[in-house]
Amino acid sequence: MGNLVVKDYLRREFEDLRSDLNQGSVPKVTAEYQQCLNEMQNLPLNIAVTGYAGVGKSSFINAFRGVKDDDNDAAEVAAVEGTEVPKAYPYPSFPNIKLWDLPGIGTPKFRAAEYMKKVEFERYDVFLIIISSRFTVNDALLAKEIQKMRKKFYYVRAHIDESIKNESRKRDFNEMETLSAIRKYCEDGLKKEAELSERVFLISNHHAHMYDFSLLQERMAAELPDHKKQILTLAVHIFSENELMKKKELMKAYIKKVAWVSCACGAVPLPGLSMACDVGILIDALRCFCRVFGLDDRSLRFLALQTGNEFDELRSAIKKTPLLNTINAELVASLLMKSSLWVAVSLVELALDFVPVLGCLFGGASSYIVTYHFLNSFLDDAVEDAQNVRAKLLKQPESQRKFEKNSQKPL
């Protein structure tokens, strides 16, 4: 009975396979999907970060990338303006995503009149203007110039945790009212200086799971062109269920593309080639899953620091997924042997069912089936473990949980 259920499920899922084949040959369709996979790894996304010295640019760049301030590849945190030329900081898991630390506008070497040309504004896809407590004439100038280029920009009010701490000393302190007042003050300043009505995101570089950090990332991804919004969505840390589900949907599409590449390898009639290709493909795919869902030591240590949790406690939440640094050919081969057993009975019959569609590509159909199911099973495990890690992160003081819930309402 179980095998019948598996076969029916597979038949439904392979309707897309039939449709794709009706539109082109295996090599043609595979080449298209391989191009999509290459774009995910190589398509550049350049995010410009600008603001005066001391507003938190470097700490923001580190927090956005999931890097601790004292890591070797961290942006240097300094109280004075140390950036003399635009400097790129790649995202560790997705090096095609770069955050650029731009020199502050209005400094002696970067006068406002020539700033746009010197920092090569046309290079960047999106702009983040970091402010502390107030807007300046130069902030307004930046916003207007970016608008002329028809590119997106976002105002980020940093150090919000410090502001809340200072205000909490007052006898009549109310956190939500204080946050609303800070937001209104910033937005009023933006309207006055730049004649713009844009949302200001309140963030803490040292507590990225709180306030508007995840909302900023979601808004940025939503407003990027389609081919780039997916890259950013996959890269960001998971602080909300919404982010997690978006990643899951994108990885389902990713699985289909990987299965097609496996299909093409399996179709080549050389003994042993299909298995060797599948293991190599799956190693890359499983490592990608771990990076996307933050199931690696580096991500867990960053989250532990940001949330005040212990690394070992977060690590203990991962029950089913191997960590990134443990994924190798031996592990993948052993997992393949276990996971393929449950479809073994139906595998041959299903592959033969598709022979009229695939011609004589029995090996290709087999590779597609095994890869497709193996990765979907792994995806379910990765999502479950990511949910477990997030549950650990949400174990905070009650007041903190209330604010996080409120800050994650749709924009």
Side-chain angles (χ1 to χ4, degrees), residues 16 41 73 87 104 113 151 169 201 228 230 243 291 317:
D16 284 344
Q41 297 177 346
D73 56 350
K87 185 173 182 179
K151 293 189 177 182
R169 298 188 180 96
F201 293 86
K228 294 197 175 185
Q230 295 182 8
E243 287 172 321
R291 291 193 297 268

Side-chain angles (χ1 to χ4, degrees), residues 338-359:
K338 294 176 183 177
S339 69
S340 60
L341 290 178
W342 72 289
V343 295
V345 174
S346 57
L347 180 59
V348 174
E349 183 178 344
L350 275 166
L352 290 174
D353 285 346
F354 278 89
V355 167
V357 180
L358 295 173

Side-chain angles (χ1 to χ4, degrees), residues 151-179:
K151 293 189 177 182
K152 289 291 182 179
F153 71 94
Y154 305 89
Y155 274 109
V156 178
R157 165 60 158 89
H159 301 311
I160 200 66
D161 51 334
E162 297 176 14
S163 298
I164 292 296
K165 182 179 179 180
N166 292 335
E167 290 294 317
S168 66
R169 298 188 180 96
K170 297 180 179 179
R171 184 171 55 185
D172 58 347
F173 170 74
N174 179 290
E175 185 177 36
M176 296 308 299
E177 290 180 0
T178 300
L179 288 166

Side-chain angles (χ1 to χ4, degrees), residues 28 35 114 137 146 155 212 232 246 260 262 278 282 288 340 374:
K28 177 183 176 182
Q35 182 179 354
E114 55 188 11
V137 173
I146 295 169
Y155 274 109
D212 291 341
L232 185 59
K246 285 181 179 178
W260 259 105
S262 176
D278 284 345
L282 291 174
C288 180
S340 60
F374 178 80

Side-chain angles (χ1 to χ4, degrees), residues 33 74 94 174 192 259 273 287 311 378 388:
Y33 282 139
F94 293 84
N174 179 290
K192 179 181 178 181
L273 178 63
R287 288 175 177 172
F311 166 78
F378 195 91
N388 291 337

Side-chain angles (χ1 to χ4, degrees), residues 33 148 274 317 405:
Y33 282 139
K148 289 179 182 178
S274 177
K405 181 178 179 181

